[in-house]
Every structure is written in structure tokens, then in C-alpha cells.
Amino acid sequence: GQQVMQIPQYQHVQEGEDFTTYCNSSTTLSNIQWYKQRPGGHPVFLIQLVKSGEVKKQKRLTFQFGEAKKNSSLHITATQTTDVGTYFCAGGTSYGKLTFGQGTILTVHP
Amino acid sequence: DGGITQSPKYLFRKEGQNVTLSCEQNLNHDAMYWYRQDPGQGLRLIYYSQIVNDFQKGDIAEGYSVSREKKESFPLTVTSAQKNPTAFYLCASSKGQGTSYEQYFGPGTRLTVT
């Protein structure tokens, strides 16, 4: 089936360092969504990207959708301890379903 | 207070028993979903429903069953045929069908089968 691959699986950073997670699909996506799951919690929607080459920002978070609509990235500038959690991308596929990536677990050391 | 509720938060069962996880939403959403979360594997879709009295298999439906008799409710039964039922189960809903709608997740049920 259609897969959305996300790397890295784990990322440990010192507070203040930047963080990036990448999402890749073998086929063109209709859209991509990003979710954050705090430890012990449930995924919460962050943002959706729809257009080729789209870039959106939310404070220290920058989301990009590739020109070919096959990849996406989430970049956090100057991480804080409140950023800890698992970040998931979810791609809209030709089957009309959202396919989630495996997630990147971010740990921030104070 | 609108949202999705799942109960119980923790559930323990003996191998060979069927168990039903509840999911209720008061968001008036049409679509509902069940996901399974295992370490390192992200969220995998079990079943989804776009309207009442209709549902479709997701990527890992074997050993599970669902019903959608009411718009608000989408219970999931983990049957004894499911080989590795121990996992964290998440229910979600969205306003409409299709991939452009954000999904709202419940708090999850952690099922342990021994």
C-alpha cells in the first residue's frame, strides 16, 4: 500500500538548537497534515499544506510542502522543552485516506 | 464541552476474549476513524466510517470489527482472532470525508492482553 516515510525516528537536541523532521512519499500527495503528540497524550492537529511549494509558519515552526508534492518538512527554530513529543506527518493519498508517517520523537534537554 | 471521549483509559483482558472499546463524539462530525499505535510504527488505520451504517476496512482490519449505528458512536471490537492485540488505540473524527479535513483525536485506550 501507499506509504509515507518519516525520518528521523528519534532526535535528541539541547534546548535552543534547531530541529527538522522530514516526510517522503513515493507518490504525489493531495495534501499533507502535521500533528503533535505530547508524551502520554493524543495527536493534535498543527497545520495543513495543500499547494506545491507551500510554506507556512507558526511562531518558531516552519512547514514546507515540496514542489512535486511528494515531500514535506517541519522545522523548529530554537527548541524549547515544551516542544517535546512525537511529530507526525499525514499525507492525503489517491485512495482518499490520510496515511500517517511513523513519527519523529523529539527530546529536548534543558 | 465538545470533543471525543474514549473509555476506559486502560483495559486488561485475558487472551481469547473479545473486548469492545468505546468512542463517542459530540462534534457532529460525519467521519470517524480507529487507529492503532505501536512504538516506532506511527498510526495505522483499522477502520473508518464516513456516514452512519457504513464503514470501510483500513490497512490492518483483520481481527477487528466495528459498527456505526449512531452518528456519535463508533465502537471497536478487538476479537480473539487479532494476533497481537496489545496496543494503544486511538479514535478520531473529522467534519467531513476526505483527506482535507483535520482529524480530532480522543485520549486513547491502552489495551493489554495477557
Side-chain angles (χ1 to χ4, degrees):
Chain A
Q2 195 154 9
Q3 286 191 329
V4 173
M5 307 301 293
Q6 192 173 351
I7 56 169
Q9 188 173 356
Y10 301 95
Q11 187 74 58
H12 305 273
V13 299
Q14 287 294 131
E15 190 172 18
E17 292 181 338
D18 292 357
F19 159 76
T20 305
T21 175
Y22 301 90
C23 199
N24 294 288
S25 170
S26 56
T27 60
T28 303
L29 300 170
S30 55
N31 61 298
I32 196 146
Q33 297 180 355
W34 285 91
Y35 292 79
K36 177 183 178 181
Q37 182 177 24
R38 294 183 186 275
H42 57 274
V44 174
F45 176 82
L46 293 176
I47 208 161
Q48 174 168 262
L49 304 170
V50 179
K51 298 177 186 174
S52 168
E54 189 170 11
V55 178
K56 287 188 176 180
K57 293 192 176 185
Q58 287 180 349
K59 297 183 181 177
R60 294 179 293 103
L61 279 62
T62 302
F63 304 84
Q64 293 188 332
F65 200 10
E67 293 289 341
K69 299 181 75 172
K70 289 184 176 182
N71 56 72
S72 181
S73 65
L74 158 59
H75 180 82
I76 301 178
T77 303
T79 54
Q80 299 175 358
T81 54
T82 53
D83 295 324
V84 297
T86 303
Y87 292 85
F88 291 100
C89 63
T93 69
S94 56
Y95 300 102
K97 293 186 298 184
L98 272 179
T99 297
F100 281 79
Q102 298 92 327
T104 296
I105 300 172
L106 172 64
T107 305
V108 180
H109 299 285
Chain B
D1 208 16
I4 301 179
T5 56
Q6 290 185 244
S7 61
K9 189 168 183 178
Y10 299 95
L11 192 53
F12 298 88
R13 280 293 183 270
K14 294 288 187 187
E15 199 173 305
Q17 294 179 334
N18 291 356
V19 59
T20 298
L21 313 183
S22 83
C23 177
E24 303 278 331
Q25 55 100 357
N26 61 5
L27 300 168
N28 199 32
H29 285 174
D30 287 323
M32 296 187 75
Y33 312 83
W34 273 106
Y35 292 92
R36 171 181 172 138
Q37 185 173 22
D38 297 283
Q41 297 199 48
L43 304 177
R44 293 185 289 167
L45 183 64
I46 304 172
Y47 268 98
Y48 63 104
S49 167
Q50 296 171 332
I51 55 171
V52 175
N53 292 322
D54 188 43
F55 49 83
Q56 286 80 39
K57 292 181 180 180
D59 301 316
I60 54 165
E62 186 175 347
Y64 300 98
S65 66
V66 293
S67 63
R68 185 90 186 274
E69 296 175 3
K70 297 187 299 182
K71 187 175 185 178
E72 303 79 23
S73 180
F74 191 40
L76 172 75
T77 297
V78 184
T79 75
S80 56
Q82 168 51 232
K83 293 186 173 134
N84 295 298
T86 294
F88 187 48
Y89 290 89
L90 285 159
C91 178
S93 71
S94 62
K95 190 174 182 181
Q97 55 183 286
T99 65
S100 62
Y101 293 93
E102 69 177 270
Q103 294 188 10
Y104 294 76
F105 285 82
T109 292
R110 193 166 297 277
L111 173 65
T112 302
V113 177
T114 56

